[in-house]
Coordinates of all heavy atoms in Angstrom, one line a residue:
M1 N 91.2 109.0 124.2 CA 92.0 107.9 124.5 C 91.2 106.6 124.4 O 90.2 106.5 125.1 CB 92.7 108.0 125.8 CG 93.7 106.9 126.0 SD 94.6 106.9 127.6 CE 95.3 108.6 127.6
I2 N 91.6 105.7 123.5 CA 90.8 104.5 123.4 C 91.1 103.5 124.5 O 90.3 102.9 125.1 CB 91.1 103.9 122.0 CG1 90.6 104.8 120.9 CG2 90.4 102.5 121.8 CD1 91.0 104.4 119.5
A3 N 92.4 103.2 124.7 CA 92.9 102.2 125.6 C 94.3 102.4 126.0 O 95.1 103.0 125.3 CB 92.7 100.8 125.1
V4 N 94.6 101.9 127.2 CA 96.0 101.8 127.7 C 96.1 100.3 128.0 O 95.4 99.8 128.9 CB 96.3 102.6 128.9 CG1 97.7 102.4 129.4 CG2 96.0 104.1 128.6
Q5 N 97.1 99.6 127.3 CA 97.2 98.2 127.5 C 98.6 97.8 127.8 O 99.6 98.4 127.4 CB 96.8 97.5 126.2 CG 95.4 97.6 125.8 CD 95.0 96.7 124.6 OE1 95.9 96.3 123.8 NE2 93.8 96.5 124.4
D6 N 98.7 96.7 128.6 CA 99.9 96.0 128.9 C 100.1 95.1 127.7 O 99.4 94.2 127.5 CB 99.8 95.2 130.2 CG 101.0 94.4 130.5 OD1 101.9 94.2 129.7 OD2 101.1 93.9 131.7
R7 N 101.2 95.3 126.9 CA 101.4 94.5 125.7 C 101.4 93.1 126.0 O 100.9 92.3 125.2 CB 102.7 95.0 125.0 CG 102.9 94.3 123.7 CD 104.4 94.2 123.3 NE 104.6 93.3 122.2 CZ 104.7 92.0 122.3 NH1 104.6 91.4 123.4 NH2 104.8 91.3 121.2
E8 N 102.0 92.7 127.1 CA 102.1 91.2 127.4 C 100.7 90.5 127.6 O 100.6 89.4 127.3 CB 102.9 91.1 128.7 CG 103.3 89.8 129.1 CD 104.3 89.8 130.3 OE1 105.4 90.3 130.1 OE2 103.9 89.2 131.3
K9 N 99.7 91.3 127.9 CA 98.4 90.7 128.1 C 97.6 90.5 126.8 O 96.6 89.8 126.7 CB 97.5 91.6 129.0 CG 98.0 91.6 130.4 CD 97.1 92.5 131.3 CE 97.6 92.5 132.7 NZ 96.7 93.3 133.6
H10 N 98.1 91.2 125.7 CA 97.3 91.2 124.4 C 98.1 90.8 123.2 O 97.5 90.5 122.2 CB 96.8 92.6 124.2 CG 95.9 93.1 125.3 ND1 94.6 92.8 125.4 CD2 96.2 93.9 126.4 CE1 94.1 93.4 126.5 NE2 95.1 94.0 127.1
N11 N 99.4 90.8 123.3 CA 100.2 90.4 122.1 C 101.3 89.4 122.4 O 101.8 89.3 123.5 CB 100.9 91.7 121.6 CG 100.0 92.8 121.2 OD1 99.6 93.6 122.1 ND2 99.5 92.8 120.0
K12 N 101.6 88.6 121.4 CA 102.6 87.5 121.5 C 103.7 87.8 120.5 O 103.4 88.4 119.4 CB 102.0 86.1 121.3 CG 100.9 85.8 122.3 CD 101.4 85.7 123.7 CE 100.3 85.3 124.7 NZ 100.3 86.0 125.9
P13 N 104.9 87.4 120.7 CA 105.4 86.7 121.9 C 105.6 87.7 123.0 O 105.7 88.9 122.8 CB 106.7 86.2 121.4 CG 107.2 87.2 120.3 CD 105.9 87.6 119.7
V14 N 105.7 87.1 124.2 CA 106.1 87.9 125.4 C 107.5 88.4 125.3 O 108.4 87.6 124.9 CB 105.8 87.1 126.7 CG1 106.3 87.8 127.9 CG2 104.4 86.7 126.8
Y15 N 107.8 89.6 125.5 CA 109.1 90.2 125.5 C 109.8 90.1 126.9 O 109.1 90.1 127.9 CB 109.1 91.6 125.0 CG 108.7 91.8 123.5 CD1 108.2 93.0 123.1 CD2 108.9 90.8 122.6 CE1 107.9 93.2 121.8 CE2 108.5 90.9 121.3 CZ 108.0 92.2 120.9 OH 107.7 92.4 119.6
A16 N 111.1 90.3 126.9 CA 111.8 90.3 128.2 C 111.6 91.7 128.9 O 111.7 91.8 130.1 CB 113.3 90.1 128.0
W17 N 111.2 92.7 128.2 CA 110.9 94.0 128.7 C 109.4 94.3 128.7 O 108.7 93.7 127.9 CB 111.7 95.1 128.0 CG 111.5 95.1 126.5 CD1 110.5 95.8 125.9 CD2 112.1 94.4 125.5 NE1 110.5 95.6 124.5 CE2 111.5 94.7 124.3 CE3 113.2 93.4 125.5 CZ2 111.9 94.1 123.0 CZ3 113.5 92.9 124.3 CH2 112.9 93.2 123.1
K18 N 109.0 95.3 129.4 CA 107.6 95.6 129.5 C 107.3 96.8 128.5 O 108.1 97.7 128.4 CB 107.2 96.0 130.9 CG 107.4 94.9 131.9 CD 106.5 93.8 131.7 CE 106.6 92.7 132.7 NZ 105.8 91.5 132.5
I19 N 106.1 96.7 128.0 CA 105.6 97.8 127.0 C 104.2 98.2 127.4 O 103.4 97.3 127.6 CB 105.7 97.3 125.6 CG1 107.2 97.0 125.2 CG2 105.1 98.3 124.6 CD1 107.3 96.4 123.8
C20 N 104.0 99.5 127.5 CA 102.6 100.0 127.7 C 102.2 100.6 126.4 O 102.9 101.4 125.8 CB 102.7 101.1 128.8 SG 101.1 101.9 129.0
K21 N 101.0 100.1 125.9 CA 100.5 100.6 124.6 C 99.4 101.5 124.8 O 98.5 101.2 125.6 CB 100.1 99.4 123.8 CG 101.2 98.4 123.4 CD 100.7 97.2 122.7 CE 100.3 97.7 121.3 NZ 100.0 96.6 120.4
I22 N 99.4 102.6 124.1 CA 98.3 103.6 124.3 C 97.7 103.8 122.9 O 98.4 104.1 121.9 CB 98.9 105.0 124.8 CG1 99.5 104.7 126.2 CG2 97.8 106.0 124.9 CD1 100.3 105.9 126.7
F23 N 96.4 103.6 122.8 CA 95.6 103.7 121.6 C 94.9 105.1 121.6 O 94.1 105.3 122.6 CB 94.6 102.6 121.4 CG 95.3 101.2 121.2 CD1 95.8 100.5 122.3 CD2 95.5 100.7 119.9 CE1 96.4 99.3 122.1 CE2 96.1 99.5 119.7 CZ 96.6 98.8 120.8
I24 N 95.1 105.9 120.6 CA 94.5 107.2 120.6 C 93.7 107.4 119.3 O 94.1 107.0 118.2 CB 95.6 108.3 120.6 CG1 96.5 108.2 121.8 CG2 95.0 109.7 120.4 CD1 95.9 108.6 123.1
L25 N 92.5 107.9 119.5 CA 91.6 108.2 118.3 C 92.0 109.6 117.8 O 92.0 110.6 118.6 CB 90.2 108.2 118.7 CG 89.1 108.4 117.6 CD1 89.3 107.4 116.5 CD2 87.7 108.4 118.2
C26 N 92.4 109.7 116.6 CA 92.9 111.0 116.1 C 92.4 111.2 114.6 O 91.8 110.3 114.0 CB 94.4 111.2 116.2 SG 95.3 109.8 115.4
S27 N 92.7 112.3 114.0 CA 92.3 112.6 112.7 C 93.6 113.0 111.9 O 94.5 113.4 112.5 CB 91.2 113.6 112.6 OG 91.7 114.8 113.1
I28 N 93.5 112.9 110.6 CA 94.6 113.2 109.7 C 94.5 114.7 109.3 O 93.4 115.1 109.0 CB 94.7 112.2 108.5 CG1 96.0 112.4 107.8 CG2 93.6 112.4 107.6 CD1 96.4 111.3 106.9
K29 N 95.6 115.3 109.1 CA 95.6 116.7 108.6 C 95.1 116.6 107.1 O 95.5 115.6 106.4 CB 96.9 117.3 108.6 CG 97.4 117.6 110.0 CD 98.8 118.3 109.8 CE 99.4 118.7 111.2 NZ 100.7 119.3 111.0
K30 N 94.4 117.6 106.6 CA 94.0 117.6 105.2 C 95.2 117.5 104.3 O 95.1 116.8 103.3 CB 93.2 118.9 105.0 CG 91.9 118.7 104.4 CD 91.2 120.0 104.2 CE 89.8 119.7 103.8 NZ 89.0 120.9 103.5
D31 N 96.3 118.2 104.6 CA 97.4 118.1 103.7 C 98.5 117.1 104.2 O 99.6 117.1 103.7 CB 98.0 119.5 103.6 CG 98.5 120.1 104.9 OD1 98.1 119.5 105.9 OD2 99.2 121.1 104.9
G32 N 98.1 116.3 105.2 CA 99.1 115.3 105.8 C 99.5 114.3 104.7 O 98.7 113.9 103.9
K33 N 100.8 114.0 104.7 CA 101.3 113.1 103.8 C 102.2 112.0 104.5 O 103.0 112.4 105.3 CB 102.1 113.8 102.7 CG 102.1 113.2 101.4 CD 102.7 114.1 100.4 CE 102.6 113.5 99.0 NZ 103.3 114.2 98.0
F34 N 102.0 110.8 104.2 CA 102.7 109.7 104.8 C 104.1 109.6 104.2 O 104.2 109.7 102.9 CB 102.0 108.4 104.7 CG 102.8 107.2 105.2 CD1 102.9 107.0 106.5 CD2 103.4 106.4 104.3 CE1 103.7 105.9 107.0 CE2 104.2 105.3 104.7 CZ 104.3 105.1 106.0
T35 N 105.1 109.3 105.0 CA 106.5 109.1 104.5 C 106.9 107.7 105.1 O 106.9 107.6 106.3 CB 107.4 110.2 104.9 OG1 106.9 111.4 104.5 CG2 108.8 109.9 104.4
A36 N 107.2 106.8 104.2 CA 107.7 105.5 104.7 C 108.9 105.7 105.6 O 109.7 106.6 105.4 CB 108.1 104.6 103.5
N37 N 109.1 104.8 106.6 CA 110.2 104.9 107.6 C 110.6 103.6 108.1 O 110.0 102.6 107.6 CB 109.7 105.9 108.7 CG 108.5 105.4 109.4 OD1 108.5 104.4 110.1 ND2 107.4 106.1 109.1
I38 N 111.5 103.5 109.0 CA 112.0 102.2 109.4 C 110.9 101.3 110.2 O 111.1 100.1 110.3 CB 113.3 102.3 110.3 CG1 113.0 103.1 111.6 CG2 114.4 102.9 109.5 CD1 114.1 103.0 112.6
E39 N 109.9 102.0 110.7 CA 108.9 101.3 111.5 C 107.6 101.0 110.6 O 107.0 99.9 110.8 CB 108.5 102.1 112.7 CG 107.5 101.3 113.6 CD 107.3 102.0 114.9 OE1 108.3 102.2 115.7 OE2 106.2 102.3 115.2
T40 N 107.3 101.9 109.7 CA 106.1 101.7 108.9 C 106.4 101.9 107.5 O 106.9 103.0 107.1 CB 105.0 102.8 109.4 OG1 104.9 102.7 110.8 CG2 103.7 102.6 108.7
T41 N 106.0 100.9 106.7 CA 106.3 101.0 105.2 C 105.2 101.5 104.4 O 105.4 101.8 103.2 CB 106.7 99.6 104.7 OG1 105.7 98.6 105.0 CG2 108.0 99.1 105.4
E42 N 104.0 101.4 104.9 CA 102.8 101.8 104.1 C 101.7 102.3 105.1 O 101.6 102.0 106.2 CB 102.3 100.6 103.4 CG 101.2 100.8 102.5 CD 100.7 99.5 101.7 OE1 101.1 98.4 102.2 OE2 100.0 99.7 100.8
S43 N 100.9 103.2 104.5 CA 99.7 103.7 105.2 C 98.5 103.8 104.3 O 98.7 104.2 103.1 CB 100.0 105.2 105.7 OG 98.9 105.8 106.2
K44 N 97.4 103.2 104.7 CA 96.2 103.3 103.9 C 95.0 103.1 104.8 O 95.1 102.6 105.9 CB 96.2 102.3 102.8 CG 96.2 100.9 103.2 CD 96.3 100.0 101.9 CE 96.4 98.5 102.3 NZ 96.5 97.7 101.2
Y45 N 93.8 103.4 104.3 CA 92.6 103.2 105.0 C 92.0 101.8 104.6 O 92.2 101.3 103.5 CB 91.6 104.3 104.7 CG 92.0 105.6 105.1 CD1 92.6 106.6 104.3 CD2 91.8 106.0 106.5 CE1 93.0 107.8 104.7 CE2 92.2 107.2 106.9 CZ 92.8 108.1 106.1 OH 93.2 109.4 106.5
F46 N 91.3 101.2 105.5 CA 90.7 99.9 105.3 C 89.4 99.8 106.1 O 89.3 100.4 107.1 CB 91.6 98.7 105.6 CG 92.2 98.8 107.0 CD1 91.5 98.2 108.0 CD2 93.4 99.4 107.2 CE1 92.0 98.2 109.3 CE2 93.9 99.4 108.5 CZ 93.2 98.8 109.5
S47 N 88.5 99.0 105.6 CA 87.2 98.8 106.3 C 87.4 97.6 107.3 O 88.3 96.8 107.2 CB 86.1 98.4 105.3 OG 86.3 97.2 104.7
L48 N 86.4 97.5 108.2 CA 86.5 96.4 109.1 C 86.4 95.1 108.4 O 87.1 94.1 108.8 CB 85.3 96.6 110.1 CG 85.2 95.7 111.3 CD1 86.5 95.7 112.1 CD2 84.1 96.0 112.2
E49 N 85.7 95.0 107.3 CA 85.5 93.8 106.5 C 86.9 93.4 105.9 O 87.1 92.2 105.6 CB 84.4 93.9 105.5 CG 83.1 94.0 106.0 CD 82.7 95.4 106.6 OE1 83.3 96.4 106.1 OE2 82.0 95.5 107.6
E50 N 87.7 94.3 105.6 CA 89.0 94.0 104.9 C 90.1 93.6 105.8 O 91.1 93.1 105.4 CB 89.5 95.3 104.2 CG 88.6 95.7 103.0 CD 89.0 97.0 102.4 OE1 89.0 98.0 103.2 OE2 89.3 97.1 101.2
I51 N 89.8 93.6 107.1 CA 90.9 93.3 108.1 C 91.4 91.9 107.9 O 92.6 91.7 108.0 CB 90.4 93.5 109.6 CG1 90.2 95.0 109.9 CG2 91.3 92.9 110.6 CD1 89.5 95.2 111.2
S52 N 90.6 90.9 107.6 CA 91.0 89.6 107.5 C 92.0 89.4 106.4 O 92.7 88.4 106.3 CB 89.8 88.6 107.4 OG 89.1 88.9 106.2
K53 N 92.0 90.3 105.4 CA 92.9 90.2 104.3 C 94.2 90.8 104.5 O 95.2 90.7 103.7 CB 92.2 90.8 103.0 CG 90.9 90.2 102.6 CD 90.3 90.9 101.5 CE 88.9 90.4 101.2 NZ 88.2 91.2 100.3
L54 N 94.4 91.5 105.6 CA 95.6 92.3 105.9 C 96.7 91.3 106.4 O 96.4 90.4 107.1 CB 95.3 93.4 106.9 CG 94.4 94.5 106.5 CD1 94.2 95.4 107.7 CD2 95.0 95.2 105.3
N55 N 97.9 91.6 106.1 CA 99.0 90.9 106.7 C 99.5 91.7 107.9 O 100.4 92.6 107.8 CB 100.1 90.8 105.6 CG 101.3 90.0 106.2 OD1 101.2 89.2 107.1 ND2 102.4 90.1 105.5
L56 N 98.9 91.4 109.1 CA 99.2 92.1 110.3 C 100.5 91.7 111.0 O 100.8 90.5 111.0 CB 98.0 92.0 111.3 CG 96.7 92.4 110.8 CD1 95.6 92.1 111.9 CD2 96.7 93.9 110.6
A57 N 101.2 92.6 111.5 CA 102.3 92.3 112.4 C 101.7 92.2 113.8 O 101.7 93.1 114.6 CB 103.3 93.4 112.3
E58 N 101.1 91.0 114.1 CA 100.3 90.8 115.3 C 101.1 91.0 116.6 O 100.5 91.1 117.6 CB 99.6 89.5 115.2 CG 98.5 89.5 114.1 CD 97.5 88.4 114.3 OE1 97.5 87.6 115.3 OE2 96.5 88.5 113.5
E59 N 102.4 90.9 116.5 CA 103.2 91.2 117.7 C 103.1 92.7 118.1 O 103.4 93.1 119.2 CB 104.6 90.8 117.6 CG 105.5 91.6 116.6 CD 105.3 91.2 115.1 OE1 104.5 90.3 114.8 OE2 106.0 91.8 114.3
K60 N 102.6 93.5 117.1 CA 102.5 94.9 117.4 C 101.0 95.2 117.7 O 100.7 95.8 118.7 CB 103.0 95.7 116.2 CG 104.5 95.6 116.0 CD 105.0 96.4 114.9 CE 106.5 96.1 114.8 NZ 107.3 97.2 114.5
N61 N 100.1 94.9 116.7 CA 98.7 95.2 116.8 C 97.9 94.0 116.2 O 98.2 93.7 115.1 CB 98.3 96.5 116.2 CG 98.8 97.7 116.8 OD1 98.6 97.9 118.0 ND2 99.5 98.5 116.1
N62 N 97.0 93.4 117.0 CA 96.3 92.3 116.5 C 94.9 92.6 116.1 O 94.4 93.8 116.3 CB 96.3 91.1 117.5 CG 95.7 91.5 118.9 OD1 94.7 92.2 118.9 ND2 96.3 91.0 119.9
L63 N 94.2 91.6 115.6 CA 92.8 91.9 115.1 C 91.9 92.4 116.2 O 91.1 93.3 115.9 CB 92.3 90.5 114.5 CG 90.9 90.6 113.9 CD1 90.8 91.6 112.8 CD2 90.5 89.2 113.4
E64 N 92.0 91.9 117.4 CA 91.1 92.4 118.4 C 91.4 93.8 118.8 O 90.4 94.6 119.1 CB 91.2 91.5 119.7 CG 90.7 90.1 119.5 CD 89.2 90.1 119.1 OE1 88.4 90.8 119.6 OE2 88.9 89.4 118.1
Q65 N 92.6 94.2 118.7 CA 92.9 95.6 119.0 C 92.4 96.6 117.9 O 91.9 97.7 118.2 CB 94.5 95.8 119.2 CG 94.9 95.1 120.5 CD 96.4 94.9 120.5 OE1 97.1 94.6 119.5 NE2 97.0 95.1 121.7
I66 N 92.5 96.1 116.7 CA 92.0 96.9 115.6 C 90.5 97.0 115.7 O 89.9 98.1 115.5 CB 92.4 96.3 114.2 CG1 93.9 96.5 114.1 CG2 91.7 97.0 113.1 CD1 94.5 95.8 112.9
K67 N 89.8 95.9 116.0 CA 88.3 96.0 116.2 C 88.0 96.9 117.3 O 86.9 97.6 117.2 CB 87.8 94.6 116.5 CG 87.8 93.7 115.2 CD 87.2 92.3 115.6 CE 87.1 91.4 114.4 NZ 86.5 90.1 114.7
M68 N 88.8 96.9 118.4 CA 88.5 97.8 119.5 C 88.6 99.3 119.0 O 87.7 100.1 119.4 CB 89.6 97.6 120.6 CG 89.5 98.6 121.7 SD 90.9 98.4 122.9 CE 92.3 98.8 121.9
C69 N 89.5 99.6 118.2 CA 89.6 101.0 117.6 C 88.4 101.4 116.8 O 87.9 102.5 116.9 CB 90.9 101.1 116.9 SG 92.4 101.0 118.0
F70 N 88.0 100.4 116.0 CA 86.8 100.7 115.2 C 85.6 100.9 116.1 O 84.8 101.8 115.9 CB 86.5 99.5 114.2 CG 87.1 99.6 112.9 CD1 88.4 99.1 112.7 CD2 86.5 100.2 111.8 CE1 89.0 99.2 111.4 CE2 87.1 100.3 110.6 CZ 88.3 99.8 110.4
A71 N 85.4 100.1 117.1 CA 84.3 100.3 118.1 C 84.4 101.6 118.8 O 83.4 102.3 118.9 CB 84.4 99.1 119.1
A72 N 85.6 102.0 119.1 CA 85.7 103.4 119.8 C 85.3 104.5 118.8 O 84.7 105.5 119.2 CB 87.2 103.5 120.3
Y73 N 85.7 104.4 117.6 CA 85.3 105.4 116.6 C 83.8 105.5 116.4 O 83.3 106.6 116.3 CB 86.0 105.0 115.3 CG 85.6 105.9 114.1 CD1 86.1 107.2 114.0 CD2 84.7 105.5 113.2 CE1 85.7 108.0 113.0 CE2 84.3 106.3 112.1 CZ 84.8 107.6 112.0 OH 84.4 108.4 111.0
E74 N 83.2 104.4 116.5 CA 81.7 104.3 116.2 C 80.9 104.7 117.5 O 79.7 105.0 117.4 CB 81.3 102.9 115.7 CG 81.9 102.6 114.4 CD 81.7 101.2 113.9 OE1 81.2 100.4 114.8 OE2 82.0 100.9 112.8
N75 N 81.5 104.7 118.7 CA 80.8 104.9 119.9 C 81.1 106.3 120.5 O 82.2 106.5 121.1 CB 81.1 103.8 120.9 CG 80.4 103.9 122.2 OD1 79.8 104.9 122.5 ND2 80.4 102.9 123.0
K76 N 80.2 107.2 120.4 CA 80.5 108.6 120.9 C 80.7 108.6 122.5 O 81.3 109.5 123.0 CB 79.3 109.5 120.6 CG 79.2 109.8 119.1 CD 78.1 110.8 118.9 CE 78.0 111.0 117.4 NZ 76.8 111.9 117.0
N77 N 80.2 107.6 123.2 CA 80.4 107.5 124.6 C 81.4 106.4 125.0 O 81.3 105.9 126.1 CB 79.0 107.1 125.2 CG 78.0 108.2 124.9 OD1 78.3 109.4 125.1 ND2 76.8 107.9 124.5
W78 N 82.4 106.2 124.2 CA 83.4 105.2 124.5 C 84.1 105.5 125.8 O 84.4 106.7 126.1 CB 84.5 105.2 123.4 CG 85.6 104.2 123.6 CD1 86.8 104.5 124.1 CD2 85.5 102.8 123.3 NE1 87.5 103.3 124.2 CE2 86.8 102.3 123.7 CE3 84.6 102.0 122.7 CZ2 87.1 100.9 123.5 CZ3 84.9 100.6 122.6 CH2 86.1 100.1 123.0
Q79 N 84.3 104.5 126.6 CA 85.0 104.7 127.9 C 86.4 104.0 127.7 O 86.6 102.9 127.2 CB 84.3 103.9 129.0 CG 82.9 104.5 129.3 CD 83.0 105.9 129.9 OE1 83.8 106.1 130.8 NE2 82.2 106.8 129.3
T80 N 87.4 104.8 128.0 CA 88.8 104.3 127.9 C 89.0 103.0 128.6 O 88.6 102.9 129.8 CB 89.8 105.4 128.4 OG1 89.6 106.6 127.8 CG2 91.2 104.9 128.3
Q81 N 89.6 102.0 127.9 CA 89.9 100.7 128.6 C 91.3 100.7 129.1 O 92.2 101.1 128.5 CB 89.7 99.6 127.5 CG 88.3 99.5 127.0 CD 88.2 98.4 125.9 OE1 89.1 97.6 125.7 NE2 87.0 98.4 125.3
L82 N 91.4 100.3 130.4 CA 92.6 100.3 131.1 C 93.0 98.9 131.6 O 92.1 98.3 132.2 CB 92.6 101.3 132.3 CG 92.2 102.8 132.0 CD1 91.9 103.5 133.2 CD2 93.3 103.4 131.1
D83 N 94.2 98.5 131.4 CA 94.7 97.2 131.9 C 95.1 97.4 133.4 O 95.5 98.4 133.8 CB 95.9 96.7 131.1 CG 95.4 95.9 129.9 OD1 94.2 95.6 129.8 OD2 96.2 95.6 129.1

């Protein structure tokens, strides 16, 4: 587990309801295949350097949260961050 976050502390706009976000480090199945759906239209890999070129839905996941996930991947001794 990378982090458990209170969405209101990390993402804008603030919603009328509360959301707890859980970031998990996982791997893809060798034969796993992405299927577009109502929440996600595309799936692909990107480097940390390419992040600034992405059109992020920052109300869902922002640049700092993505950087946090990269840091967790690179750190074998990552400690879960809790809000």
